[in-house]
Amino acid sequence: MYYYFEKNKGKWHVKLDGKDKDLLDSFLQVEGASFSDLIMDAIQEVKTSRQKSEFSGNTFSLNLDSNQALISDELGEQEIKLTSQDFISIFIFWSRLSRR
C-alpha cells in the first residue's frame, strides 16, 4: 500500500492510494485526535497478546487483530480493511507527526 502524509491547515493528513482513501484519514482526524491513548492500548494488546482488540469512538470503530484492521464509519456504514501492519505503521507515524 502506498501512502504519504500531508500537512493542511496545521493538521497532518494521510493520503492513500486506492478506494476508500479518505476513511482512514477521517478516522485519524476524529478518533485519533481524541483517543490516541486508547487506540495505542488496542495496538499494544494485539502486539503483545496476539488477541483481537476493539475500539469504539464517537463516529468510528476499529477491530484489530494480528492480520487485519477494520475501520467502520458508524454513521455512513462505510468501512475500510487494511493489514494490521499498515494500520499500525500509519497510526504510529501520524501520532508522532501530530504531536509536533
Side-chain angles (χ1 to χ4, degrees):
M1 170 188 301
Y2 174 75
Y3 61 90
Y4 64 96
F5 295 89
E6 178 178 278
K7 195 169 191 176
N8 185 6
K9 297 182 182 176
K11 295 184 180 183
W12 286 99
H13 296 269
V14 64
K15 302 294 183 180
L16 300 174
D17 63 344
K19 60 181 181 177
D20 302 321
K21 56 188 173 195
D22 294 332
L23 194 61
L24 177 58
D25 185 60
S26 295
F27 173 83
L28 295 174
Q29 299 306 314
V30 173
E31 310 299 358
S34 300
F35 302 110
S36 181
D37 292 344
L38 294 175
I39 297 167
M40 282 303 298
D41 289 345
I43 289 170
Q44 288 298 358
E45 185 176 332
V46 169
K47 288 174 91 175
T48 57
S49 69
R50 311 290 287 173
Q51 299 289 328
K52 183 176 179 179
S53 185
E54 297 179 358
F55 163 82
S56 290
N58 295 323
T59 305
F60 297 93
S61 63
L62 168 68
N63 291 300
L64 184 65
D65 62 31
S66 59
N67 298 315
Q68 178 177 281
L70 173 66
I71 297 170
S72 301
D73 175 357
E74 303 300 329
L75 302 176
E77 299 180 6
Q78 299 175 8
E79 61 183 33
I80 183 174
K81 293 179 185 176
L82 55 157
T83 68
S84 293
Q85 182 179 1
D86 283 341
F87 172 76
I88 291 168
S89 297
I90 290 168
F91 185 80
I92 290 172
F93 196 80
W94 176 85
S95 294
R96 289 178 182 157
L97 285 173
S98 295
R99 282 187 241 143
R100 291 183 181 179

